[in-house]
Amino acid sequence: MVIRPSIVWAIIESWKSHDATEPSGLYVVSARIGGVLFILAGIGGVLGYWIL
């Protein structure tokens, strides 16, 4: 999601639209932000497990 949000869009979202050939700019930005948040949550989960 962080590196190639267009691949995620092609797999998950492209079937929902007949006219769209590529993801919108807003989708790309929000997918990257979501990917970064998932990475941070994963790191926080691992660190929390080790610390607690």
Side-chain angles (χ1 to χ4, degrees):
M1 288 176 67
V2 175
I3 298 170
R4 296 245 176 181
S6 60
I7 292 175
V8 175
W9 177 84
I11 294 170
I12 298 173
E13 303 288 337
S14 65
W15 66 273
K16 296 177 184 177
S17 175
H18 296 291
D19 298 333
T21 58
E22 63 183 26
S24 66
L26 179 62
Y27 179 84
V28 171
V29 170
S30 64
R32 286 190 173 151
I33 291 171
V36 168
L37 291 176
F38 277 117
I39 290 170
L40 292 174
I43 291 171
V46 169
L47 291 176
Y49 178 76
W50 283 349
I51 292 172
L52 298 175

